[in-house]
Amino acid sequence: MFSGRPADPATPTMPASSVPSAVPLAGETGEISGGASGTTSARRSWTALLLFGAAGVLALLIALFGPGLMARGTGELRIPGAGLTTVLRTVLFAALALHLGELLAPQLIRPVRGRPRTAVRSWAVLASLAGAAAAAGQIVRLAAVSDLGITETYGTREGGLLLLIANGLVVAALCAASKRPALALAPLAVVIGAEALRAHPEAYSPEFGAALTVVHLTAASLWTGGLLYVLRTMWLWRGSPVAARALLGRYARLAIWLYVALAATGTASALRRLPLDVVFTSAYGRTLLLKLALMAVVSVLALAARRRMLRDTDPAVAHRLARREQVVLGLVVVVSAVLTVVPDPHWISLRP
């Protein structure tokens, strides 16, 4: 299904009458159309830049201090280095999303009629290398808190799985840099499987929990990374709004099924792992509630973008709503990383 490598884009020429109304995310996801004056455009650009900057700072604060804040007053044991671990796992999850998104999105782009023959630059190599570094960082942290040498840490269950994750991402980066980037699917599948096993060391049905995590993590990565790639492509196609609208529509249809997979596996995982008597009194329960609230915001933005896309021929408003959805999804990734760090709520549950 996945084949071919996106070509390096030619620098697009923007018509004089088309001025983007926002600074693109990472340089490539700004407003795709609009006729605002230069002053209004500059004001919106600065506003977008400030919003993205604030979202980045908020994500970092959540990662560093979220585990401690969520566990406050619960009586649960303190996790050494929880903030740093959350940051590293956020980088790992983001790397998976970026790479998988780059493998998925071109399949949505190819059938679009009248599309420009340009493609956004690949971030897959850098993303996978950053993910490998994050996995290596977790190995070093594990060795430090366990008072073990690096080699001894490899012999532990978690250390061995983290080593497999790091190596898998390095191989995925090499595949992305080759002439057949689709080969990265195999090492990325190994990475997802290893992360799913690492996340479920518990004694109660760990295989079932790992299987749920495989589906959940894959769907979340495709949704988040695919949306980012689509938004970057829409910005590149800002002179072809019909093609940009068609691309967003194709992604929206796929996103419905990804949403269903996320909802089903997320619900099953929550019912399996979170006893009802500690929903509000455990760090896991509180973090899960925060994630659900953010997902509700994502759902509203996704539905609003879909409605505007169906109603308007100009995709500018839908594109702007989808950018906001992407920002909130980024926060969901951070909160999901917090979920993997906080203690298992079964330890404080009074249920047998």
Side-chain angles (χ1 to χ4, degrees):
M1 175 180 177
F2 302 106
S3 62
R5 182 179 184 174
D8 288 337
T11 303
T13 301
M14 186 185 302
S17 61
S18 177
V19 180
S21 61
V23 170
L25 182 62
E28 290 177 312
T29 56
E31 197 71 63
I32 64 173
S33 65
S37 66
T39 303
T40 303
S41 177
R43 187 183 303 116
R44 288 180 178 176
S45 296
W46 279 107
T47 301
L49 183 62
L50 289 174
L51 287 176
F52 285 128
V57 172
L58 179 59
L60 181 60
L61 292 175
I62 291 174
L64 289 174
F65 302 107
L69 290 174
M70 291 300 175
R72 181 169 296 179
T74 64
E76 293 173 298
L77 294 176
R78 176 180 171 273
I79 304 296
L84 176 59
T85 302
T86 303
V87 172
L88 294 173
R89 287 183 185 166
T90 299
V91 174
L92 174 60
F93 293 159
L96 281 171
L98 285 171
H99 204 149
L100 284 173
E102 287 201 10
L103 291 172
L104 166 71
Q107 314 311 312
L108 303 176
I109 292 172
R110 288 192 184 96
V112 176
R113 296 181 179 178
R115 61 183 173 88
R117 299 298 175 179
T118 53
V120 296
R121 292 183 177 89
S122 173
W123 293 350
V125 173
L126 291 178
S128 288
L129 290 177
Q138 291 182 68
I139 295 174
V140 174
R141 186 209 64 85
L142 179 62
V145 299
S146 303
D147 197 22
L148 296 173
I150 295 296
T151 306
E152 295 172 307
T153 305
Y154 293 157
T156 66
R157 180 183 184 275
E158 183 171 1
L161 289 171
L162 286 171
L163 180 62
L164 181 59
I165 290 171
N167 290 332
L169 286 168
V170 170
V171 174
L174 293 175
C175 292
S178 72
K179 295 182 179 180
R180 301 188 64 184
L183 293 175
L185 277 174
L188 289 176
V190 172
V191 169
I192 290 175
E195 171 59 24
L197 291 173
R198 187 214 58 76
H200 292 279
E202 67 274 2
Y204 51 95
S205 61
E207 298 84 3
F208 181 60
L212 290 173
T213 298
V214 165
V215 178
H216 194 83
L217 183 55
T218 302
S221 298
L222 291 174
W223 185 2
T224 306
L227 178 59
L228 178 59
Y229 196 97
V230 165
L231 289 176
R232 293 174 62 207
T233 302
M234 290 178 70
W235 167 247
L236 191 64
W237 294 358
R238 57 192 178 275
S240 304
V242 174
R245 181 176 181 272
L247 175 59
L248 186 60
R250 289 181 60 83
Y251 169 79
R253 287 190 289 274
L254 174 65
I256 293 175
W257 296 106
L258 295 176
Y259 185 91
V260 170
L262 283 170
T265 54
T267 300
S269 295
L271 292 175
R272 172 185 170 276
R273 190 155 194 176
L274 181 62
L276 295 179
D277 61 323
V278 294
V279 170
F280 299 101
T281 57
S282 66
Y284 189 93
R286 295 171 179 177
T287 307
L288 182 60
L289 291 175
L290 176 58
K291 181 179 178 179
L292 291 175
L294 290 173
M295 284 301 298
V297 175
V298 169
S299 302
V300 171
L301 291 172
L303 288 173
R306 182 174 178 81
R307 288 185 60 186
R308 293 307 296 259
M309 179 186 63
L310 293 174
R311 187 171 60 184
D312 299 338
T313 56
D314 183 356
V317 177
H319 183 266
R320 184 163 60 247
L321 291 170
R323 290 203 329 267
R324 295 172 183 172
E325 176 189 345
Q326 180 76 71
V327 171
V328 182
L329 277 174
L331 296 178
V332 171
V333 171
V334 181
V335 174
S336 298
V338 175
L339 270 178
T340 69
V341 175
V342 295
D344 188 326
H346 282 84
W347 289 106
I348 62 171
S349 174
L350 298 178
R351 295 174 60 184

